[in-house]
Amino acid sequence: MTQYLAAPATGTATATGTPATGDRPGWWRDAVIYQVYPRSFADGNGDGMGDLAGIRSRLPYLAGLGVDAVWLSPFYASPQADAGYDVADYRAIDPMFGDLHDADALIRDAHDLGLRIIVDLVPNHSSDQHEWFQRALREGPGSPLRDRYHFRPGKGEHGEEPPNDWESIFGGPAWTRTKNPDGSHGEWYLHLFAPEQPDFNWNNQAVRDEFRSVLRFWLDMGVDGFRIDVAHGLVKADGLPDMGHGEQLKLLGNQVLPFFDQDGVHEIYRSWRKILEEYGGDRIGVAEAWTPSAERTALYLRPDELHQAFNFHYLNAEWDAAGLRQVIDESLDSMRPVGAATTWVLSNHDVVRHLTRLGGSADRARAATLLMLALPGSAYVYQGEELGLPEVLDLPDEVRQDPSFFKNNGQDGMRDGCRVPIPWTAEGPSYGFGTGGSWLPQPEQWAGLSIESQTGDPGSTLELYRRTLAVRRDHPDLGAGDAVEWLDAPEGVLAFRRGAFTCTVNTNAEPVELATVPGQALLSSGDYDGSGALPADTTVWWTA
Ligand code: BGC
């Protein structure tokens, strides 16, 4: 039996007869949302850097893939100290990506194709080149403009020590000392990320008003929602208390910290929810919130707050049946009390691509995807995972741009390896990414992984994604609900029922004989041959 048991997808969003999620109320509850990293998706002007025109020209590919919505990482005016997560103007497009006309055309075309657009909002910090920060620097200590950020005098006899012991996520102290307009040493300012990313002070009313206005600006442009960067970081504990110990990075995500997941953030999201609802049309807010537990994440998703949060607990799970079952149960259990849909994610622009992270096997990566897409709720797909792209591990130092790479004790600094521009064609200067080069070098093997090379090959990862998304669309019961019914299964195997479907996942490195065949095999991530033996690292979907 071939790898893909159902008929090959035809490549159009509505080919299977089921309309795109379109105007369906609550569309986001089971939506598959595709993350586009604008620098690396498609280059419309041949300068080696992806852009909005490039994305726009390839929207039909995304509609054909069968996703419901596209989340665009930041494209705003930015000096690019952190690949656009350092925003200098929240209402302008960086010239390297295009302009507002391009954004408008992109949003309109996406809607015509039945795709929703979610933009990235970066409210925890701005760029140090943002007009507010520059004015605050110029006006000096005591200026009310400084209260929009966290400026503080230093400790020590001459203010030579940072105001507290917080560390930047990218490494080094979370404080940088300023120079006064006369050139003397001045106050320090807080930046939880790079020094070029000063943190806003969310106790300042002007900051709150500004972001409500930015939300409206993009809602007026027609966007369907916001992915909220560092949603857990906006409010800091009163008085910015010391953490009192080192090794901060090890604690991230494990316990409540004075700068993350403070209860005060929720009031902000309640006010944003009102704005989203004013606009109607089911516009959503998605929290990037690293919290100590799934229960803490659920607080962001109370009915009057945001709609979704990335499930990083799932992303961090290893390829182990018992562990996966536990995190699936915990995720579903934690969302039920707030009535939010659970989300699932395996890859994004900040982590090692899941093919590599789960051990380097394409079979396993495909099995993980088929498991994710059988779970109730919404799933996030990161550009290139549908091609089975591995992490690029051998980028030369001189091409790297991730700011954390240049620090030695922060985040691992390896984020460029998942940001390499994706291959569209088997040949061409940047494998069809554009007519010019590519801002990060692409491995030669990517020719064979290009969209062109995989299209029409029923054994390819791309066709597996297309087929799976088409089946999911034709069977809304797959993504619906908030529970899975676990079935007895051999060691290392997950088996669960979802409506009329059963999903079996063999996480073992060896084939496993199933005691009973759960039905008729519909889709398989690997070479399932129709017998009772489930191959190693393989997921199969069955119908009764
Ligand atoms: C984004 C990162 C970024 C950081 C600072 C994150 O969570 O996903 O790419 O470096 O926020 O904005």
Side-chain angles (χ1 to χ4, degrees), residues 353-356 362 365-366 384-391 446 449 454 461-462 465:
R353 283 186 176 278
H354 74 267
L355 186 147
T356 304
R366 282 197 293 261
E385 73 171 71
E386 78 278 22
L387 306 178
L389 295 188
E391 183 81 0
W446 283 22
L449 293 175
Q454 297 195 42
T461 301
L462 176 57
Y465 270 74

Side-chain angles (χ1 to χ4, degrees), residues 13 34 36 41 55 58-67 70 115 386:
Y34 185 99
V36 163
F41 186 67
I55 300 168
R58 315 269 167 112
L59 287 173
Y61 163 75
L62 295 177
L65 183 59
V67 299
V70 177
L115 294 167
E386 78 278 22

Side-chain angles (χ1 to χ4, degrees), residues 82 167-172 192-194 197 248-250 252 260 288 290 348-351 402-416 419:
D82 183 20
E167 292 164 22
S168 152
I169 311 303
F170 292 159
L192 289 181
F193 293 87
Q197 294 168 295
Q248 169 188 299
L249 278 167
K250 290 201 185 136
L252 291 176
F260 277 167
E288 187 219 17
W290 292 86
N348 67 31
H349 67 294
D350 287 331
V351 298
D402 178 0
S404 53
F405 178 74
F406 303 99
K407 302 278 181 183
N408 51 19
N409 61 346
Q411 212 170 44
D412 63 16
M414 299 308 282
R415 298 184 302 169
D416 289 313
R419 298 175 176 182

Side-chain angles (χ1 to χ4, degrees), residues 229-245:
D229 190 59
V230 197
H232 54 307
L234 276 47
V235 171
K236 277 70 180 176
D238 282 346
L240 311 184
D242 274 342
M243 294 204 28
H245 44 73

Side-chain angles (χ1 to χ4, degrees), residues 128 133 150-151 174-176 178 187-191 195-196 198:
D128 62 346
F133 190 73
H150 295 281
F151 282 91
W175 295 89
T176 289
T178 62
E187 291 181 322
W188 298 69
Y189 68 88
L190 176 69
H191 51 85
E196 295 87 351

